[in-house]
Amino acid sequence: MPSQRRINRLAASFFAVVTFVAAAMPLPALARSAPESFADLAEEVTGAVVNISASTTVEARNRTLPQLPPGTPFEDLFEEFFNRRGQGNGDNTPPRPRSSNSLGSGFVIDPSGIVVTNNHVIGDANDISVIFSDGTRLKAEIVGKDSKVDLAVLRVKSDKPLKAVKFGDSDALRPGDWVMAIGNPFGLGGSVTAGIVSARGRNIESGPYDNYIQTDAAINKGNSGGPLFNMNGEVIGINTAILSPTGGSVGIGFAVPASTAVPIIDQLREFGETRRGWLGVRIQNVDDATAEALSLGSARGALIAGVDEKGPAKPAGLDVGDVIVKFDHKDVKDSRDLPRIVASTPVGKEVDVTIVRKGQEMTKKVTLGRLEDGEKQASLQQPPAEAPTVTRQALGLSMSGMTDELRRRFSLKDDLKGVVITRVDPNSSASDKRIQAGEVIVEVNQEPVASPADVTKKIDDLKAQGRKSALLLVANPQGEVRFVALSIE
């Protein structure tokens, strides 16, 4: 995305700014009328909204003196100048630590002192304070945080129960519903703004589980971690990011929906860390050509392109080429839905996974494992097969059987089996789909191939059946596979 339209994290910077909010225009007669005022709602919930002050102390680096010739008359002058400011490198003048401060927002969800905010608001801070609307300032400790959805849970100790707010049903939101945000924009604590839900399910490519609520309620730097309320005074989102060419609100803000945040917050409170479900598959999206080749009827679901040998999917019978269309009775509309649904499912739960395999729908039972940070999916091991060396052409591809010479030429993995692509016609659909020489065709329409003759025979069979495309399972030299649908008309 161009820099002038980049997604800006609401880093809690402190600037002076005045925001004007236009009066709401009346809605059509048949629609629900606009609130006459948000004052009662704001008064009811403001006490639970807090400012977050996070301070990080960083050790200062020793600043070296300018390189001057020995004995120059300026040598003593520069040394005295730097040492006077604590920046010298002598034993008696250690460098002074630097302190970096940030301001953000948050809200209380439990009267005992549990506060929710964004992970990026607190970062690696070693001194966090929570400031309430009445001016009370309490030290906070971190209960847990999650960088993938950008959430953090804090705890403060108070002599009396604190005003708290509850989460609402963000799944019930519709574009056009009224919402209200309260936070600490530009350090101006307790600021109330209102607007509507502009859209749901936004993917701003900030993480693997993007599912943001988009709103035109004014959200600015410093609103990070603050609540987005529905008209019942329930938190339905946590303000997290803005899209802005200027750094200020242009009416496009994003909030983590309550349905995504609540399970993570519960895990952080209980375990101090996240415990996400893990299926153990590598997936890719299904386009129209792939859907036709797999007899899906329409482009839907998540296509399994790899199965972790040590993951839960393997013993459950899930296989490469299966298309997951439902997980735990929830529809998987595209590949982006699956990671989010799996991650929010409890570890150890046995779930039904509905798949389409070779045009037939079936259900498998899988007991979920736990997703570990930094864990990489294992490469799928292909079955051994004999590979004659005859060269043939089809679909704009020149193909050859596997040989030791081709393994050396293209640096192919020793255990990689299939048909080697030696050339790609630059004017073919295969070239458009980024197939390259040195890659290996492992399967055609979910059936293993060991020779160029196998590939051409299966393509001829598909033509005879009136099929319009062939689904190839293609591996790169490192053994990583993907599905590619090519037209055979």
Side-chain angles (χ1 to χ4, degrees), residues 11-204:
S13 304
F14 189 98
F15 298 96
V17 69
V18 178
T19 302
F20 295 91
V21 181
M25 298 297 293
L27 298 178
L30 296 179
R32 185 176 178 180
S33 61
E36 181 178 340
S37 172
F38 293 91
D40 290 342
L41 177 59
E43 184 177 1
E44 177 186 345
V45 299
T46 295
V49 182
V50 299
N51 298 341
I52 307 290
S53 175
S55 176
T56 306
T57 302
V58 182
E59 291 186 5
R61 297 178 181 177
N62 286 333
R63 180 176 296 184
T64 58
L65 298 178
Q67 297 298 313
L68 300 171
T72 178
F74 296 103
E75 186 175 14
D76 293 337
L77 176 63
F78 275 103
E79 184 173 356
E80 179 183 356
F81 176 81
F82 282 106
N83 286 346
R84 189 186 303 131
R85 286 158 175 77
Q87 297 172 332
N89 54 2
D91 294 337
N92 296 326
T93 56
R96 296 176 182 175
R98 293 184 296 104
S99 181
S100 132
N101 299 305
S102 65
L103 294 174
S105 306
F107 55 99
V108 181
I109 62 169
D110 190 310
S112 66
I114 301 298
V115 177
V116 172
T117 186
N118 281 143
N119 176 61
H120 78 264
V121 168
I122 62 171
D124 296 322
N126 43 33
D127 186 10
I128 304 171
S129 295
V130 173
I131 308 165
F132 293 80
S133 57
D134 61 1
T136 302
R137 189 182 187 103
L138 299 176
K139 293 290 184 183
E141 62 176 345
I142 299 174
V143 175
K145 55 185 182 177
D146 174 38
S147 61
K148 290 181 179 177
V149 182
D150 198 7
L151 293 177
V153 177
L154 310 176
R155 179 184 290 112
V156 297
K157 294 181 180 179
S158 175
D159 296 334
K160 59 182 180 181
L162 300 173
K163 170 70 176 177
V165 288
K166 296 181 179 180
F167 283 102
D169 183 6
S170 60
D171 290 338
L173 286 176
R174 298 180 302 164
D177 282 345
W178 284 100
V179 287
M180 182 181 73
I182 303 179
N184 185 29
F186 301 105
L188 301 173
S191 295
V192 180
T193 58
I196 62 170
V197 173
S198 302
R200 291 180 50 195
R202 286 298 195 209
N203 177 18
I204 61 175

Side-chain angles (χ1 to χ4, degrees), residues 194-449:
I196 62 170
V197 173
S198 302
R200 291 180 50 195
R202 286 298 195 209
N203 177 18
I204 61 175
E205 299 183 357
S206 66
Y209 310 117
D210 280 13
N211 183 33
Y212 287 100
I213 299 167
Q214 181 184 329
T215 178
D216 68 352
I219 297 174
N220 286 287
K221 294 179 179 181
N223 273 113
S224 279
L228 188 67
F229 292 101
N230 62 17
M231 293 298 98
N232 296 323
E234 299 168 326
V235 178
I236 45 79
I238 301 170
N239 300 320
T240 300
I242 58 174
L243 177 64
S244 171
T246 64
S249 174
V250 294
I252 303 178
F254 301 99
V256 177
S259 58
T260 299
V262 169
I264 295 172
I265 292 169
D266 290 343
Q267 289 177 16
L268 294 178
R269 292 183 67 178
E270 184 176 358
F271 307 113
E273 61 184 358
T274 55
R275 298 190 175 184
R276 292 185 168 94
W278 179 50
L279 183 58
V281 295
R282 184 164 56 84
I283 58 174
Q284 66 181 70
N285 212 23
V286 178
D287 57 21
D288 291 336
T290 304
E292 194 276 337
L294 292 173
S295 303
L296 282 176
S298 61
R300 60 191 174 111
L303 176 60
I304 299 178
V307 178
D308 193 310
E309 291 293 331
K310 298 180 180 179
K314 185 71 174 179
L318 296 182
D319 204 354
V320 172
D322 293 342
V323 179
I324 299 176
V325 294
K326 280 189 179 181
F327 185 91
D328 199 18
H329 308 291
K330 299 180 181 70
D331 288 335
V332 179
K333 297 178 182 178
D334 59 41
S335 61
R336 193 165 61 90
D337 290 338
L338 186 63
R340 186 172 61 249
I341 297 173
V342 173
S344 63
T345 305
V347 175
K349 180 179 180 181
E350 185 181 68
V351 298
D352 289 336
V353 180
T354 303
I355 62 173
V356 175
R357 176 181 292 172
K358 296 183 178 180
Q360 300 296 316
E361 189 169 293
M362 61 187 70
T363 299
K364 302 286 186 179
K365 288 192 177 294
V366 182
T367 301
L368 289 190
R370 179 183 174 186
L371 178 65
E372 301 293 343
D373 289 338
E375 186 176 78
K376 296 182 178 180
Q377 301 290 353
S379 297
L380 182 65
Q381 301 297 319
Q382 304 299 335
E386 294 299 323
T389 60
V390 178
T391 299
R392 296 199 180 192
Q393 292 184 345
L395 305 178
L397 304 173
S398 296
M399 302 169 291
S400 175
M402 186 71 70
T403 65
D404 292 339
E405 191 276 330
L406 287 176
R407 284 193 188 278
R408 290 191 297 269
R409 176 181 168 189
F410 294 116
S411 301
L412 302 178
K413 283 186 65 176
D414 291 340
D415 58 354
L416 187 56
K417 306 296 182 183
V419 179
V420 182
I421 298 169
T422 57
R423 183 182 177 277
V424 180
D425 184 343
N427 297 317
S428 66
S429 61
S431 178
D432 294 338
K433 294 292 183 71
R434 300 182 184 277
I435 294 179
Q436 298 179 358
E439 294 187 311
V440 177
I441 301 173
V442 179
E443 293 180 359
V444 176
N445 268 51
Q446 299 177 274
E447 295 183 6
V449 289

